[in-house]
């Protein structure tokens, strides 16, 4: 009873982020139209900007999902254990993913009416998976759902981990993150690093792994291995989430 | 009868010179009202937060009916901690917060909640972050009195409350306790207002419980004698005095001992020492 009630409250608190995502998408589209210098038509510019809307909504809602500490405080005030709080979080994330996925799919269908469906990654990879449009839509929905579920669980796990730190700890953590990012992007521009990565990739037979996960070389690529792989990653991320959640405490 | 046992509880913070709490031992029995007292920074809030499993102790354990409170849903559902932090969603309306708490506790007392909302004149359509400090405390107080928990801990419940609202809180606390007895642990610095409500005294000092007893036991051997100075002096001659105050010819002395075995002068008044006076003395001198 408490798990469901908490998850419902978290969903209620999360809904505004979907609106924020829609607003940011609209702003992005409008800027896209405003920046059109007349060479491509307004209609083309609209199609070019519109397909980004689901991705923008995903990024904004990712941020909303990552906030963990205030959800933790609410759970503690309501007399639940950390494990029950974790269950409520997972239930909330599953529901939030469904809501965001429905919004994204609706926008995607609108965009497919405006322009070609090949702008979407799913159709680029699995456009020929099913001949039946209904089956194809269901497949797209489920694939998007599991990918989004993993992203949301991973983001909440990241938020849970950082909520264990104080302000100084977070500053150090993010500074290290920025430095690592700059270091690795610089490293990747160097030929010697690229050769090293390429050798390692060949050594572990990276092509075979990617082909299996994304069923790229299959006669009729289907998303089943990808769905299975994402579910496994989601379970791993959820277990890390539980580990971090058990360490949480209410700060004064 | 349920019971919370605090056993060898200790808490140390990193980089602190000494531990905040060290070997804290006491029991909370069911259906009693405890006053938890101590100086600023003594560790009262930290102690309550560990009982409610908000924070982990450095050592020791908190048991509810013999079982560890930590990660125990059954125990935690019987413990409610009203603390000074903002635990509820600030952007929510008060009515939404009440609905959420009602959904979390099956036997939440909605009738009492409605009664308290009227008495406190609380606008439930306001958002929590738009309320004054006093009214935010009132929201927490209402929830604390309505939740069906066996052990309710109130940390500075009257913070920011005016005299009228403090009176409403005290009268409703007594009324709800009479109708539905459960254990309250009240931590406050306004001792004078709650010494008539509490049945037990817990004094936290120097990381340990310095005083743990019923209010009757604590006050049984502590007196305040007032009257003309010469009469008071003659009556308490030979008694070790804790403190004394004099205004002109009028004198008041406070002591902890048996009453002298002599006739009480007619001009002298004898009464039990006020709890605040006693606790201040103990906190100042550090001894019973």
């Amino acid at each position: 009873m408490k798990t469901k009630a908490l998850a419902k409250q978290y969903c209620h608190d999360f809904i505004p982020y979907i609106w924020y995502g829609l607003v940011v998408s609209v702003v992005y589209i409008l800027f896209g139209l405003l920046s059109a210098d007349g060479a491509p038509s307004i209609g083309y510019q609209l199609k070019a900007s519109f397909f980004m809307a689901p991705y923008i909504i995903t990024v904004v809602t990712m941020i909303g999902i990552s906030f963990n500490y205030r959800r933790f405080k609410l759970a503690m005030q309501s007399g639940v254990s950390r494990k029950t709080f974790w269950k409520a979080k997972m239930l909330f994330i599953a529901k939030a993913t469904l809501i965001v996925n429905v919004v994204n799919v609706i926008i995607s269908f609108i965009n497919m009416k405006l322009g070609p469906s090949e702008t979407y990654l799913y159709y680029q990879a699995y456009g020929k998976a099913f001949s039946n449009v209904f089956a194809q839509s269901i497949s797209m929905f489920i694939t998007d759902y599991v990918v989004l579920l993993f992203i949301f669980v991973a983001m909440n796990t990241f938020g849970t981990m950082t909520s264990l730190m104080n302000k100084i700890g977070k500053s150090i953590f993010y500074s290290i993150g920025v430095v690592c990012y700059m270091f690795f992007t610089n490293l990747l521009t160097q030929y010697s690093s690229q050769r090293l990565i390429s050798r390692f990739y060949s050594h572990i037979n990276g092509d075979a792994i990617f082909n299996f996960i994304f069923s790229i070389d299959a006669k009729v690529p289907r998303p089943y291995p990808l769905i299975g792989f994402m579910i496994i990653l989601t379970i791993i991320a959820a277990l890390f989430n539980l580990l971090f959640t058990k360490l949480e405490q209410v700060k004064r | 009868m349920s019971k919370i046992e605090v056993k060898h509880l200790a808490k140390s913070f990193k980089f602190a010179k000494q531990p905040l709490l060290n070997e804290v031992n006491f029991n909370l029995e069911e259906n009693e009202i405890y006053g938890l007292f101590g100086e600023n920074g003594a560790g009262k809030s930290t102690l309550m937060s560990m009982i409610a499993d908000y924070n982990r102790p450095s050592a020791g354990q908190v048991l509810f009916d013999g079982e560890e409170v930590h990660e125990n849903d059954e125990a935690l559902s019987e413990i409610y901690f009203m603390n000074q932090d903002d635990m509820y969603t600030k952007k929510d309306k008060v009515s939404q917060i009440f609905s959420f708490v009602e959904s979390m506790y099956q036997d939440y007392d909605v009738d009492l909640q409605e009664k308290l909302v009227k008495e406190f004149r609380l606008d439930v359509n306001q958002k929590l972050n738009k309320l004054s400090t006093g009214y935010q405390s009132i929201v927490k107080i209402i929830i604390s009195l309505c939740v069906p928990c066996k052990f309710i801990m109130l940390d500075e419940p009257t913070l920011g409350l005016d005299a009228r609202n403090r009176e409403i809180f005290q009268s409703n606390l007594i009324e709800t306790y009479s109708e539905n007895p459960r254990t309250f642990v009240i931590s406050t610095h306004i001792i004078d207002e709650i010494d008539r409500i509490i049945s037990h005294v817990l004094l936290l000092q120097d990381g340990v419980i310095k005083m743990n007893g019923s209010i009757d036991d604590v006050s049984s051997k502590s007196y305040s004698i007032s009257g003309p100075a010469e009469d008071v002096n003659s009556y308490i001659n030979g008694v070790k005095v804790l403190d004394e105050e004099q205004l002109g010819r009028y004198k008041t002395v406070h002591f902890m001992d048996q009453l002298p075995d002599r006739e009480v002068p007619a001009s002298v008044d004898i009464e039990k020492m006020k709890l605040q006076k006693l606790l201040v003395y103990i906190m100042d001198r550090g001894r019973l």
Side-chain angles (χ1 to χ4, degrees), chain A residues 3-14:
Chain A
T3 309
K4 284 184 185 170
L6 262 179
K8 190 178 168 188
Q9 180 66 26
Y10 294 155
C11 283
H12 161 77
D13 293 342
F14 174 74

Side-chain angles (χ1 to χ4, degrees), chain B residues 162-228:
Chain B
D162 58 40
R164 175 187 170 270
N165 285 328
R166 288 207 301 274
E167 191 64 45
I168 295 172
F169 162 66
Q170 284 154 28
S171 61
N172 277 286
L173 175 67
I174 296 167
E175 197 178 318
T176 188
Y177 175 75
S178 307
E179 289 170 8
N180 178 20
R182 48 218 194 274
T183 301
F184 287 94
V185 180
I186 306 170
S187 169
T188 180
H189 293 293
I190 312 175
I191 302 170
D192 274 346
E193 288 192 349
I194 70 154
D195 63 0
R196 57 196 172 94
I197 300 173
I198 60 174
S199 58
H200 269 77
V201 174
L202 292 166
L203 174 64
L204 184 63
Q205 191 176 11
D206 299 328
V208 295
I209 295 289
K210 276 279 170 68
M211 183 191 288
N212 179 3
S214 73
I215 192 118
D216 291 334
D217 286 343
V218 164
S219 59
S220 63
K221 289 180 190 170
S222 55
Y223 298 96
S224 295
I225 312 269
S226 318

Side-chain angles (χ1 to χ4, degrees), chain A residues 73 77 82 84 249-250, chain B residues 55-56 71 73 81 86 103:
Chain A
K73 284 202 295 183
Q77 181 70 91
R82 283 154 181 79
T84 303
Q249 298 192 69
V250 176
Chain B
N55 300 105
R56 294 292 292 140
E71 288 297 289
D73 278 298
F81 178 30
D86 299 319
S103 69

